[in-house]
């Protein structure tokens, strides 16, 4: 029965290898040359081992005394085909005084088992099968890691290869982006990546910002529009005047951040690294004791206990933990970046998962940070259109943001109709009107109120307010659903803060704060929170750098227009959507869950199989499952962190 199972497993590996090799021949297979070579080795070693099993020892017995050595030689060839690189790495580790790793464990275990098989003239199947299935597991691990890296590389394929530089005579030459100076004119053709940050000087087009924001909605640009590098130009020809060198551009900073994210390890990653550092030598000593002590104490049975010790070594390989834990965090960071959420390291991903308090700046974070007309209240005998038109005419020569919002609300406007305009500092604009002795109706709305009169007659009032972002209310609701306490800090008045807080459903707010006051509030909230809970501050990354730095985790909004956001924060949202904060926390919490699932699963299986191996109940086939099987399952589980479609869908439904 066991021989049928063993042969069946070899047939399955053979068929799987052939299928994967066929897939690997395609251009889009994603397999590296090294992975294809490994598949060929697995296939050849499996077919040779299957053939030797089908022949059986009896076929070699017919050759007489030489039959034993021919059989050994063929099995040694098979062993070296599948395991020569493991032996090579183990030997190099010994030379470099870095002995205790999985390569050393596999080399000692299989060479020891091979020596026992030669001594007993026994079966070589288990020896080669252990190495074979270990390499199958290594291939799956390599492919999973490679796939995760490719997904992130494809997503972050925003590095420009060249720039079309236009000289003073209008001639265009292709140059390296690093060679383009500030103030140069570059030409961006349809379908090309924007190589440097700049301002449109001519042309109109749409930009695909999906690689930066995770959103497919195109962004329309025209002369005067600010453009960041990394976007893809649509169907129009654009000419840009560069505003930054390539090394200081948005795309360069993003790529640097993503590439260095693996250097900032989470506590779980550091724990596994330290664990493996002590664990591997410990199990080697344990295997040595298991091989020597029982025969000395109980007497005899050396081969039995040596065999158990070798099985113990195979079971003890820490591959599942060493590989799957970093892969989980890497996948979580990659999955978040596909949604336009850049997390600077596994430590920040882990901190985000433990966040229970989210503190928001108001302007530019929960609100757009721009003034807009929110209410038009005409007096008797005046229409809304007429009221807006008169207000816009009065403000047609002012550069104040409120004036701009009135002109935008009015639409088309002939500024020549406005005459005798006078702007009085601190009092607004007066044109063809005298605001004294005019009876008016007070507007009690929250925001900035503009009162309009003409020829001494009150026409009405216009309320100007900072607009709440489209998804702010959804963002707050999603965070509260996850048990996160939501707080707003603002320098605005009590009335404005109260209205925004009530509109969004915040847990609490603090108004009238100066930048220093915000830091004091954060200090107070940090002192009040429970141990192991984290506080996140969400700001625009420009004026909130001190608070972003003081919080347990800083989240920057509006990265499309802010260098300070990328520099100051631990997490950067590549668009202005606050709803991405809840999504980032979902991704972080699921990643953390996957990490702990793998830790518990791997350690539990290892502990059980180590005990069974020491007692002689588990053989080499059980060792293969405890090592390779657990590693493959843990790696496959870890790759789930990369896929976020279900979380994005849940966010949209919420």
């Amino acid at each position: 029965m066991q021989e049928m199972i063993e042969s069946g497993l070899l047939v399955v590996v053979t068929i799987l290898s052939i299928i994967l090799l066929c897939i690997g021949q395609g251009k889009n297979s994603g397999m590296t040359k090294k992975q294809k070579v490994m598949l060929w080795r697995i296939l050849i070693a499996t077919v040779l081992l299957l053939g030797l099993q089908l022949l059986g020892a009896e076929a070699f017995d017919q050759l007489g005394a030489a039959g034993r050595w021919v059989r050994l030689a063929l099995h040694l060839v098979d062993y070296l085909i599948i395991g020569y690189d493991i032996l090579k790495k183990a030997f190099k580790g010994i030379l470099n005084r870095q002995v205790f790793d999985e390569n050393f464990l596999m080399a000692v275990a299989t060479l020891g088992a091979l020596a026992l098989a030669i001594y007993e003239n026994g079966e070589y199947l288990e020896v080669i099968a252990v190495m074979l299935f270990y390499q199958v597991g290594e291939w799956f691990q390599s492919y999973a890691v490679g796939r995760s890296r490719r997904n992130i590389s494809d997503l972050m394929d925003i590095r420009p290869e060249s720039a079309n530089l236009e000289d003073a005579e209008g001639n265009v030459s292709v140059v390296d982006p690093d060679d383009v100076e500030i103030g140069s004119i570059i030409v961006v053709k349809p379908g090309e990546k924007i190589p440097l940050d700049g301002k449109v000087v001519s042309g109109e087009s749409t930009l695909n910002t999906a690689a930066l924001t995770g959103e497919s909605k195109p962004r329309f640009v025209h002369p005067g529009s600010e453009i960041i590098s990394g976007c893809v130009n649509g169907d129009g020809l654009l000419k840009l005047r560069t505003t930054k060198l390539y090394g200081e551009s948005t795309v360069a900073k993003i790529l640097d951040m993503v590439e260095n994210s693996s250097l900032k390890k989470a506590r779980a990653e550091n724990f596994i690294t330290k664990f493996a550092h002590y664990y591997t030598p410990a199990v080697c000593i344990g295997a040595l004791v298991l091989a020597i002590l029982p025969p000395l104490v109980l007497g005899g049975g050396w081969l039995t206990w040596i065999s158990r010790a070798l099985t113990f070594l195979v079971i003890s390989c820490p591959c599942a933990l060493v590989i799957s834990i970093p892969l989980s965090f890497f996948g979580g960071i990659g999955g978040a970046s596909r949604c336009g959420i850049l997390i600077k390291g596994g430590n920040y991903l882990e901190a985000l998962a433990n966040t229970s308090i989210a503190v928001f700046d108001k302007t530019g974070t929960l609100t757009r940070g721009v003034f807009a007309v929110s209410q038009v209240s005409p007096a008797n005998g005046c229409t809304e259109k007429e009221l807006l038109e008169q207000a816009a005419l009065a403000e047609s020569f002012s550069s104040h943001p409120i004036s701009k919002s009135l002109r935008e609300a009015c639409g088309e406007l002939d500024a020549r109709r406005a005459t005798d305009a006078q702007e009085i500092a601190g009092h607004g604009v007066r044109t063809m009107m005298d605001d004294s002795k005019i009876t008016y109706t007070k507007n009690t709305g929250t925001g900035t109120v503009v009162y309009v009169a003409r020829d001494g007659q009150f026409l009405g009032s216009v309320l100007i307010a900072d607009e709440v972002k489209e998804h702010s209310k959804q963002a707050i609701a999603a965070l509260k659903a996850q048990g996160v306490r939501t707080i707003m800090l603002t320098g605005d008045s009590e009335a404005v803060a109260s209205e925004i807080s009530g509109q969004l459903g915040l847990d609490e707010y603090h108004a009238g704060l100066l930048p220093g006051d915000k830091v004091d509030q954060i200090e107070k909230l940090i002192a009040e929170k429970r141990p192991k809970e984290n506080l996140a501050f969400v700001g625009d990354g420009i004026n909130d750098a001190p608070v972003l730095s003081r919080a347990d985790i800083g989240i920057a909004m509006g990265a499309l227009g802010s260098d300070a956001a990328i520099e100051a924060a631990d997490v950067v949202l590549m668009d202005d959507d606050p709803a991405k904060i809840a999504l980032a926390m979902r991704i972080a919490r699921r990643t953390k869950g996957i990490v702990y699932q793998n830790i518990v699963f791997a350690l539990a299986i290892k502990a059980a199989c180590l005990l069974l191996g020491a007692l002689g109940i588990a053989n080499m086939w059980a060792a293969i499952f405890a090592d390779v099987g657990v590693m493959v399952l843990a790696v496959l589980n870890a790759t789930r962190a990369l896929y976020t479609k279900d979380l994005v869908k849940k966010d949209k439904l919420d």
Side-chain angles (χ1 to χ4, degrees), residues 323-325 327-328 331-332 594 598 633-642:
I323 297 299
S324 69
I325 304 309
L327 181 60
S328 298
I594 290 171
N598 281 346
L633 291 174
V635 166
L636 290 175
N637 190 38
T639 57
R640 291 195 303 117
L642 183 64

Side-chain angles (χ1 to χ4, degrees), residues 461-473:
S461 61
V462 180
L463 183 65
I464 310 260
D466 189 1
E467 287 185 299
V468 172
K469 288 183 180 178
E470 181 183 0
H471 296 136
S472 290
K473 187 172 183 178

Side-chain angles (χ1 to χ4, degrees), residues 371-415:
F371 288 103
V373 172
S374 63
Q375 183 187 84
V376 181
S377 304
N380 292 334
C382 182
T383 65
E384 289 190 6
K385 181 179 179 182
E386 183 183 5
L387 177 60
L388 275 176
E389 185 180 54
Q390 292 300 314
L393 282 170
E395 301 280 1
S396 58
F397 297 104
S398 175
S399 60
H400 195 279
I402 291 176
S403 304
K404 183 180 178 182
S405 67
L406 285 168
R407 292 195 296 271
E408 288 178 350
C410 181
E412 294 184 10
L413 185 72
D414 184 3

Side-chain angles (χ1 to χ4, degrees), residues 198-311:
K199 181 179 286 188
V200 179
V201 294
S202 69
E204 293 183 349
S205 186
T206 55
L207 300 184
N208 182 347
T209 63
L212 298 177
T213 67
E215 299 293 337
S216 58
K217 185 179 179 181
R219 176 188 169 204
F220 179 72
V221 293
H222 50 80
S225 297
E226 296 279 352
I227 294 183
I228 63 169
S229 48
C231 302
V232 177
N233 187 19
D235 53 4
L237 183 71
L238 295 175
K239 287 189 179 182
L240 313 179
R241 187 179 301 280
T242 60
T243 54
K244 293 178 187 174
L245 296 173
Y246 175 73
E248 296 298 319
S249 67
T250 302
V251 67
K253 290 181 178 180
I254 292 171
L255 288 168
D256 179 68
M257 185 176 70
V258 173
E259 288 164 2
N260 292 323
S261 64
S262 61
L263 301 178
K264 298 168 182 175
K265 294 184 177 181
R267 285 179 298 175
E269 290 180 275
N270 289 325
F271 163 74
I272 292 302
T273 302
K274 292 178 182 178
F275 175 79
H277 181 72
Y278 295 105
Y279 168 80
T280 310
V283 295
C284 287
I285 294 170
L288 188 62
V289 170
L290 186 63
I292 296 173
L293 190 59
L296 290 177
V297 174
L298 302 175
W302 284 94
L303 293 180
T304 299
W305 288 103
I306 290 173
S307 178
R308 291 184 185 183
L310 296 174
T311 301

Side-chain angles (χ1 to χ4, degrees), residues 89-99:
K89 290 174 185 175
F91 181 68
K92 283 185 176 180
I94 294 171
L95 292 180
N96 296 328
R97 297 181 180 179
Q98 295 178 342
V99 178

Side-chain angles (χ1 to χ4, degrees), residues 139-140 178 192 200 217 303 345 387 389 418 424 455 468 487:
W139 185 91
F140 272 107
D178 280 313
E192 289 185 338
V200 179
K217 185 179 179 181
L303 293 180
L387 177 60
E389 185 180 54
I424 304 173
D455 298 331
V468 172
I487 303 169

